[in-house]
Amino acid sequence: MLKAISFDFWNTLYDLQGEKDVSSVRVERLQRHIKTWGHEASRGELMAMMQKTWTYASQVQREQGIDIGPRGQLSKLLQELGLMPTPAQREALQEDWDTVLLESPPVIKEGARETLAYMAGKYKVALICNTGASPGRVLRTFMTLDGIIGYFDVLIFSDEVNDAKPGAKIFERMLREVGVAANEAAHIGDDPVTDVGGSHAAGLTAIWLAPSQWVAPEGCDQRVSTLRELMELY
């Protein structure tokens, strides 16, 4: 019997499609900061290094279930660039790095509000988010502004707990916090590895959010093509 359901954040509840390209804005901010430190780097060089850093962080998440967080990502990037700013310079850059999305907000997915309202009326509702380059404190801002944060009993952001999907620890944390067993919970997300594979391995019902014509990945227990379809399933 289902008692709780957890949602992924990116590409499940929110899409990254603001007016400005987020990576470009981060490069602009990084370039501006390091120039004041007396260092020059081209946009192309910084973009390549940023992508290398993101690839590393994503690999650690997927292979080890560990999140190094935005702070760890920026430290890795500065190391790759051979830069050692002062503590004050480092913190100023970190703040600019963390808050890029405030300039180019993500967009809440169609059907998210009514689906969450429906689920919150029947089950415990949780969020399990691999945060990426933007910390949980910033993502909470959008959930508050969009009026959905109140539907959640538990919010788990990987940068705040240092664990990440597909590792079992982050799913186990959610289960403890909502107070249900794995076979009483489901998780929905778009990523075949982190969401489907991770939740299935942890013993939850794995629900894949993807176009109906896509081939279901291993571990997929149920699938929906829109969030609204959840209300028909449960």
Side-chain angles (χ1 to χ4, degrees):
M1 178 181 176
L2 187 69
K3 295 183 178 179
I5 184 166
S6 59
F7 289 79
D8 171 44
F9 185 95
W10 291 115
N11 303 316
T12 299
L13 293 178
Y14 281 87
D15 286 326
L16 189 61
Q17 55 180 35
E19 295 181 357
K20 296 184 179 180
D21 178 74
V22 174
S23 295
S24 295
V25 175
R26 275 203 172 87
V27 165
E28 290 172 5
R29 293 187 178 190
L30 178 60
Q31 194 172 37
R32 183 174 68 247
H33 277 272
I34 67 176
K35 187 174 183 179
T36 66
W37 307 346
H39 184 83
E40 297 284 346
S42 69
R43 288 178 56 84
E45 178 187 2
L46 294 178
M47 186 67 79
M49 287 296 187
M50 194 166 68
Q51 183 59 49
K52 181 179 179 180
T53 300
W54 167 246
T55 299
Y56 168 77
S58 180
Q59 184 177 8
V60 171
Q61 282 186 347
R62 288 173 177 261
E63 294 181 1
Q64 301 178 42
I66 296 172
D67 191 351
I68 65 172
R71 183 168 292 274
Q73 290 179 41
L74 185 55
S75 293
K76 176 72 173 175
L77 176 58
L78 293 174
Q79 181 182 17
E80 293 286 346
L81 291 168
L83 298 175
M84 291 189 296
T86 67
Q89 290 172 332
R90 175 68 171 75
E91 288 308 309
L93 173 57
Q94 187 72 57
E95 181 62 19
D96 262 2
W97 179 271
D98 288 351
T99 58
V100 163
L101 280 183
L102 297 177
E103 186 173 327
S104 187
V107 178
I108 192 169
K109 271 188 174 290
E110 183 179 353
R113 289 186 181 88
E114 53 263 53
T115 301
L116 288 169
Y118 174 84
M119 290 297 169
K122 299 182 67 176
Y123 311 109
K124 294 288 187 178
V125 177
L127 180 83
I128 304 179
C129 173
N130 280 8
T131 48
S134 297
R137 66 181 178 88
V138 171
L139 303 186
R140 280 186 177 85
T141 300
F142 305 121
M143 296 174 71
T144 300
L145 291 173
D146 288 323
I148 64 170
I149 200 163
Y151 294 128
F152 292 88
D153 297 285
V154 172
L155 297 172
I156 300 177
F157 295 98
S158 59
D159 70 298
E160 296 175 354
V161 299
N162 302 125
D163 296 318
K165 300 174 293 184
K169 287 183 178 180
I170 200 165
F171 292 103
E172 292 167 353
R173 175 184 288 268
M174 182 276 293
L175 294 172
R176 287 195 305 272
E177 294 194 15
V178 297
V180 304
N183 62 2
E184 298 173 322
H187 175 77
I188 179 170
D190 69 294
D191 193 298
V193 176
T194 59
D195 293 309
V196 176
S199 62
H200 180 82
L204 287 72
T205 297
I207 308 171
W208 191 36
L209 176 62
S212 58
Q213 67 269 26
W214 290 10
V215 178
E218 184 177 352
C220 177
D221 298 308
Q222 294 177 323
R223 66 182 299 165
V224 293
S225 57
T226 68
L227 284 172
R228 287 193 178 100
E229 289 179 38
L230 276 179
M231 294 186 281
E232 300 172 10
L233 280 177
Y234 299 105

